[in-house]
Amino acid sequence: MAACGSLSSRIVCGSRTACSTLTPFIRSAAASHRNPDTKNSSTHRLANAGPRRDLRGSGLHRLYRTSSLGISGPSSDFASGVEEKTPALVLSDAQRRTIYALSTPPGKAGVAVIRVSGPDALEVWRGLVKTRGEGKGKAKACEPEPWKMHRCEIVHPGSGDVLDDGLAVFFKGPRSFTTEDVLELHVHSGRAIISSVLNAISLFPFCRPAERGEFTRRAFEGGRLDLTQVEGLRDLIDAETETQRKLALRTAGGSTRARLEELRNETIQCLALVEALIDFGEGEEIEEGVFEQARARVLKLHDTIRHHLSDNRRGEIMRSGVRLAIFGPPNAGKSSLLNFLAQREAAIVTPVPGTTRDILELSLDIGGLPVIVADTAGLRKTDDIVESIGVDRAKQLVESSDVSLCVLSASDVLVRSQGGDWDLRLPSTVAPLVKDDTFILLNKTDLLPPSALAQLPSGTTWAVSLSTGHGTQAFMDSFARALHNRYSLLAENGLEADEPLITHARHRAHLENALEFLEAFLETPPEDVVFAAEELRYAAQAIGKISGVIDVEDVLDAVFRDFCIGK
Ligand SMILES: Nc1nc2c(ncn2[C@@H]2O[C@H](COP(=O)(O)OP(=O)(O)O)[C@@H](O)[C@H]2O)c(=O)[nH]1
Ligand SMILES: [Mg+2]
């Protein structure tokens, strides 16, 4: 057994092969050791590698001896210190197939989870995990029992120093999140612990830090998740309200995937009918009326997709939030309403008309729905250039929002009619923006005579006093219900309505595309059966793009599996 080279004075190699296999790793380590600013994350931490006999008997040592990475270099070079002059050589990303990352937020907490995924996850286990088994004696290296949590010591693969006392679980691929071998280390969450364990993993030359979303990407590439489930998972992590959580959970669980698969399968079935017609010709081996049969099915499919598309953007709104614009004349209490909804002094409120000049947006949870509430400048004619820009912006915002709520000061807009009733008179600056679906909130009811409150004029949705709190609870309950109803989140019997299929603009674009191809198919005469088939193929592709499944070869399966040809 010979000690290798200068930097490698830290490492004793088991054989000549070991030295040569290890050389590139050590070289790059040497280079990065000389340059403390190096960005090379796989090697810059070698300074932690420990004393010279560190790797003996460790997973690293074993790995280097048996490495099949196919990188070699003359061990004599290594021994004579030539590596100091040789440029750094690091394994490429394609060679470093095993990725690792901290999967929980960094910082102090009870537990942190570090995940390792890839073909060499087991080697990392062998290098880092020591268990005590049943007894109490010294912790020893052991082979994992897959999918079982092991109480263990996590040790430095070189020095054997205990880094933390924790838990480890090994998921044998393909029964893992990424479909690869996965190792999860559950350690105490503290800066020093996390960085020491990550450093220890980085010493394995075949490991590299994971890119953003790379574990999920591998799950997608391994066929465990489709794109809608990937999006669902991301939305689930981002979910801030109950509605978002429920919707994302179902999408991540594969409900969108299954529903899209149904649509795509039906398209492929129609395509199979048309393809069969091309291949075999009607009347010979194929029954009559096949094209008509395909047309009828495409028509139904077309209607289903159109139904999904005319969903009022329900899914997208549930996911990203309802855009609510609060607007009205100056001094009506718009900013007071925003503060009331936010339960804090988010906007400046003063008796001075024109206090709010720009749009102020807050993300709030209203009855479990994500709502992005915008307070706007009071609408009035003004010579003040800043205020007039604010007024223009307010108008644009009202036009582009999903829901608009007009706040009016009751005593300014209620007028007594000749018959003695109270009528609502909208200011001319506000009236053009009030549509059939605009909600109207009468504020400052504390300034009204009680008779005016007895019967609200038609057009008014709610009446409150934000100063005294009168009517505000009823307003909140009713407003949340109105939002739920508008987006059909709650069915009439109180149960949740059909969940929307489209939750991302991307889905909508592909489905619109598919619809166009189906329409093109329906317009194609039976003589142009080849073109007709092409339209259906594109339609299937467009739907497949939503899930990330675009293999139209599926049509062959459908032809042979479900379609009975001739004899
Ligand atoms: N009397 C009374 N005053 C209110 C009520 N709500 C708000 N105000 C007052 O009306 C003024 C204008 O309120 P603000 O929210 O800034 O109105 P905005 O210009 O529409 O944003 C402030 O002095 C508020 O304190 C209310 O219900 N009753
Ligand atoms: Mg204001």
Side-chain angles (χ1 to χ4, degrees):
M1 201 176 282
C4 304
S6 54
L7 179 80
S8 56
S9 62
R10 297 165 180 280
I11 299 167
V12 176
C13 299
S15 68
R16 282 178 68 88
T17 341
C19 284
S20 46
T21 312
L22 191 53
T23 306
F25 171 51
I26 300 300
R27 278 179 186 152
S28 58
S32 58
H33 190 62
R34 285 192 300 275
N35 175 11
D37 294 333
T38 180
K39 294 275 190 297
N40 188 325
S41 54
S42 75
T43 54
H44 73 280
R45 305 178 185 97
L46 198 78
N48 295 337
R52 55 187 297 176
R53 274 174 296 132
D54 273 350
L55 294 179
R56 231 192 302 191
S58 72
L60 275 181
H61 178 68
R62 215 174 21 251
L63 180 98
Y64 296 148
R65 255 195 294 119
T66 58
S67 173
S68 57
L69 291 170
I71 296 174
S72 59
S75 57
S76 54
D77 280 0
F78 192 60
S80 62
V82 172
E83 76 281 358
E84 284 286 348
K85 291 170 219 131
T86 316
L89 178 63
V90 183
L91 300 186
S92 72
D93 277 1
Q95 287 165 317
R96 295 189 296 159
R97 280 288 302 152
T98 300
I99 54 172
Y100 64 93
L102 173 68
S103 291
T104 42
K108 291 183 194 176
V111 178
V113 178
I114 291 164
R115 201 147 50 163
V116 182
S117 175
D120 302 299
L122 186 58
E123 283 303 330
V124 178
W125 171 290
R126 288 175 179 150
L128 255 67
V129 177
K130 296 231 163 126
T131 60
R132 286 210 173 79
E134 295 295 307
K136 286 235 173 315
K138 202 167 174 293
K140 289 196 291 273
C142 74
E143 289 296 295
E145 195 178 318
W147 308 290
K148 186 183 156 195
M149 199 64 116
H150 294 65
R151 175 79 197 279
C152 64
E153 278 178 0
I154 291 150
V155 302
H156 188 279
S159 66
D161 285 350
V162 178
L163 305 176
D164 195 13
D165 198 352
L167 296 168
V169 58
F170 181 74
F171 299 88
K172 179 100 197 77
R175 284 176 56 202
S176 71
F177 174 65
T178 58
T179 71
E180 304 174 318
D181 284 354
V182 170
L183 164 63
E184 267 184 25
L185 298 171
H186 296 231
V187 296
H188 296 102
S189 190
R191 244 178 240 285
I193 300 168
I194 293 168
S195 77
S196 70
V197 176
L198 290 176
N199 282 348
I201 300 171
S202 77
L203 291 175
F204 291 84
F206 41 73
C207 285
R208 67 173 169 79
E211 310 269 338
R212 270 180 87 86
E214 200 172 1
F215 289 98
T216 314
R217 194 188 176 105
R218 289 189 177 194
F220 168 68
E221 284 167 358
R224 168 165 292 284
L225 303 176
D226 80 332
L227 284 184
T228 65
Q229 288 173 294
V230 170
E231 286 164 335
L233 201 61
R234 199 186 54 203
D235 294 343
L236 190 60
I237 292 167
D238 290 342
E240 286 183 350
T241 71
E242 268 303 278
T243 318
Q244 287 175 317
R245 182 187 64 76
K246 285 183 189 163
L247 184 68
L249 193 65
R250 275 180 253 163
T251 314
S255 70
T256 307
R257 174 187 189 160
R259 292 164 80 191
L260 287 170
E261 209 42 36
E262 251 175 58
L263 295 178
R264 198 176 76 99
N265 275 342
E266 180 58 11
T267 315
I268 290 172
Q269 293 296 326
C270 296
L271 175 58
L273 287 170
V274 178
E275 290 270 2
L277 208 57
I278 297 172
D279 290 347
F280 300 97
E282 204 165 89
E284 292 177 21
E285 286 149 285
I286 301 280
E287 60 198 279
E288 298 273 320
V290 166
F291 195 79
E292 282 316 304
Q293 210 179 313
R295 266 184 68 88
R297 285 172 73 166
V298 169
L299 205 58
K300 218 163 139 206
L301 190 64
H302 174 271
D303 288 351
T304 310
I305 294 180
R306 204 176 43 191
H307 168 76
H308 286 308
L309 284 168
S310 56
D311 63 353
N312 229 353
R313 289 184 52 248
R314 216 152 48 92
E316 286 128 295
I317 287 171
M318 276 162 80
R319 190 181 67 80
S320 56
V322 180
R323 302 194 69 84
L324 167 69
I326 299 174
F327 75 105
N331 233 17
K334 301 179 297 299
S335 300
S336 303
L337 175 64
L338 182 84
N339 291 349
F340 167 73
L341 293 173
Q343 295 288 302
R344 66 185 174 92
E345 299 298 308
I348 301 170
V349 169
T350 75
V352 182
T355 302
T356 310
R357 297 175 150 224
D358 207 348
I359 293 163
L360 176 63
E361 277 190 342
L362 293 179
S363 292
L364 300 176
D365 177 337
I366 298 183
L369 256 187
V371 182
I372 302 149
V373 187
D375 180 24
T376 59
L379 302 174
R380 65 168 174 180
K381 293 199 166 59
T382 172
D383 293 331
D384 182 315
I385 183 151
V386 179
E387 194 183 347
S388 75
I389 293 172
V391 168
D392 287 343
R393 285 189 181 181
K395 288 180 183 162
Q396 283 166 15
L397 189 96
V398 173
E399 299 286 1
S400 65
S401 62
D402 302 313
V403 175
S404 55
L405 176 61
C406 179
V407 180
L408 300 165
S409 169
S411 53
D412 294 344
V413 295
L414 289 190
V415 286
R416 210 189 259 276
S417 70
Q418 284 183 341
D421 292 336
W422 291 92
D423 287 337
L424 187 68
R425 193 152 299 164
L426 292 174
S428 60
T429 47
V430 171
L433 292 174
V434 176
K435 308 275 157 54
D436 287 348
D437 60 357
T438 304
F439 294 117
I440 292 185
L441 178 72
L442 270 191
N443 185 31
K444 305 197 187 183
T445 52
D446 54 298
L447 302 180
L448 284 182
S451 65
L453 269 182
Q455 201 189 0
L456 288 174
S458 66
T460 312
T461 326
W462 302 284
V464 297
S465 167
L466 290 167
S467 287
T468 66
H470 181 264
T472 49
Q473 193 53 50
F475 155 67
M476 277 310 289
D477 294 345
S478 165
F479 183 47
R481 236 185 352 264
L483 290 181
H484 274 276
N485 285 341
R486 184 168 289 188
Y487 294 102
S488 336
L489 303 181
L490 292 172
E492 274 170 13
N493 58 8
L495 297 172
E496 278 180 57
D498 257 2
E499 80 186 74
L501 176 68
I502 303 170
T503 47
H504 291 72
R506 188 182 73 80
H507 304 179
R508 184 171 296 282
H510 290 311
L511 271 189
E512 276 168 354
N513 234 328
L515 197 71
E516 280 170 24
F517 289 122
L518 293 182
E519 277 163 7
F521 167 83
L522 291 169
E523 284 160 15
T524 311
E527 307 84 79
D528 294 336
V529 67
V530 175
F531 292 118
E534 206 56 13
E535 304 295 0
L536 287 183
R537 191 169 293 115
Y538 286 138
Q541 266 178 358
I543 301 171
K545 279 181 189 168
I546 306 176
S547 316
V549 194
I550 47 167
D551 187 4
V552 278
E553 290 306 304
D554 289 0
V555 72
L556 295 177
D557 291 346
V559 170
F560 293 113
R561 191 186 56 232
D562 294 326
F563 198 79
C564 183
I565 301 168
K567 331 219 159 52

